[in-house]
């Protein structure tokens, strides 16, 4: 329920390319389930941050989505705020869903993983991806979802304001449950980093803890 439905696709020649053109590139259009409230990226552009109650609820939903991917043998490979879609129900409830990464699975894909060009520090990248010929794994998905988590709570520009996740943990007076959770999500050694399944019982998701010790919201 927390994965955006992939409805279908269409393969066609770009409209501005004449049939007799030597350019044989084709366009693939993917159709996904309609998110009536857009993406998390768009929401954060407007509101800046999300209330802690929503951060907690949405992360639980996204961890469930990520667990489904990994249980199905799929590495997402490109998790960011633009991949998180928001659905407002007629009953007033809000659901978030993770949209799939289709581009990297297409034939002749460049295979280039995002490099966090919006970040001013390479330390935001999962350490294992700094090696030559490295490929995303389920553990890099966990790291990337951790960045989305921080952006929900502290703003998209957290990547600019801090040099790394460790800098966030060392600079802010985080509540103990949140600090413990982030310490696990951003473990440098991917072998010691928990899976999405292992993170779901974390204390932060089970208690009414604030993001910051000095804050009650």
């Amino acid at each position: 329920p927390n994965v955006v439905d992939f409805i279908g696709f269409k393969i066609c020649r770009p409209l501005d390319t004449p049939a007799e053109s030597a350019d044989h590139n084709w366009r693939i259009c993917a159709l996904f389930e309609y998110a009536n409230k857009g993406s998390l990226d768009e929401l954060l552009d407007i509101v800046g941050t999300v209330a802690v109650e929503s951060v907690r609820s949405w992360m639980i939903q996204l961890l469930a989505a990520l667990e489904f991917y990994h249980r199905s043998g799929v590495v997402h490979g490109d998790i960011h705020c633009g991949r998180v879609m928001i659905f407002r129900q007629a009953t007033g409830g809000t659901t978030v869903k993770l949209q799939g990464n289709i581009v990297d699975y297409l034939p002749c894909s460049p295979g280039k993983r995002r490099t966090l060009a919006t970040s001013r520090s390479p330390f935001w990248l999962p350490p294992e991806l700094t090696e030559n010929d490295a490929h995303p794994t389920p553990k890099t998905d966990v790291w990337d979802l951790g960045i989305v988590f921080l952006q929900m709570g502290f703003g998209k520009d957290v990547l600019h304001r801090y040099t790394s996740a460790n800098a966030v943990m060392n600079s802010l007076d985080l509540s103990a449950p949140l600090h413990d959770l982030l310490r696990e999500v951003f473990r440098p050694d991917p072998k010691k980093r928990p899976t999405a399944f292992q993170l779901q019982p974390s204390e932060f998701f089970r208690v009414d803890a604030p993001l910051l010790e000095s804050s009650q919201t």
Side-chain angles (χ1 to χ4, degrees), residues 15-73:
L15 296 178
D16 56 354
T17 302
E20 65 275 8
S21 172
D23 182 1
H24 297 294
N25 290 329
W26 292 76
R27 176 176 298 167
I28 301 178
C29 301
L31 181 63
F32 287 95
E33 176 184 10
Y34 174 62
N36 59 357
K37 293 301 178 182
S39 69
L40 176 62
D41 186 72
E42 295 168 328
L43 176 67
L44 294 178
D45 280 340
I46 297 171
V47 302
T49 61
V50 178
V52 64
E53 294 82 6
S54 294
V55 171
R56 185 177 289 112
S57 172
W58 293 1
M59 269 300 291
I60 291 173
Q61 295 177 55
L62 292 173
L63 283 170
L66 193 55
E67 179 199 347
F68 173 79
Y69 268 100
H70 295 165
R71 191 171 66 246
S72 303

Side-chain angles (χ1 to χ4, degrees), residues 76-162:
H76 189 287
D78 192 25
I79 296 175
H80 53 79
C81 290
R83 299 283 191 189
V84 178
M85 310 307 292
I86 305 173
F87 296 77
R88 187 70 171 176
Q89 311 300 332
T91 57
T94 300
T95 301
V96 294
K97 300 186 181 185
L98 186 60
Q99 181 173 295
N101 172 27
I102 291 180
V103 175
D104 286 348
Y105 292 91
L106 293 176
C108 302
S109 168
K112 294 182 179 179
R113 192 179 180 280
R114 68 177 178 84
T115 57
L116 277 178
T118 56
S119 172
R120 295 179 181 177
S121 168
F123 295 108
W124 280 110
L125 284 173
E128 62 270 22
L129 288 189
T130 61
E131 302 175 1
N132 292 332
D133 299 323
H135 298 283
T137 69
K139 296 300 183 70
T140 59
D141 280 348
V142 168
W143 179 289
D144 289 343
L145 186 57
I147 293 178
V148 172
F149 182 26
L150 288 177
Q151 290 181 309
M152 281 195 288
F154 302 106
K156 284 172 60 177
D157 63 345
V158 70
L159 299 178
H160 293 274
R161 290 186 284 117
Y162 300 94

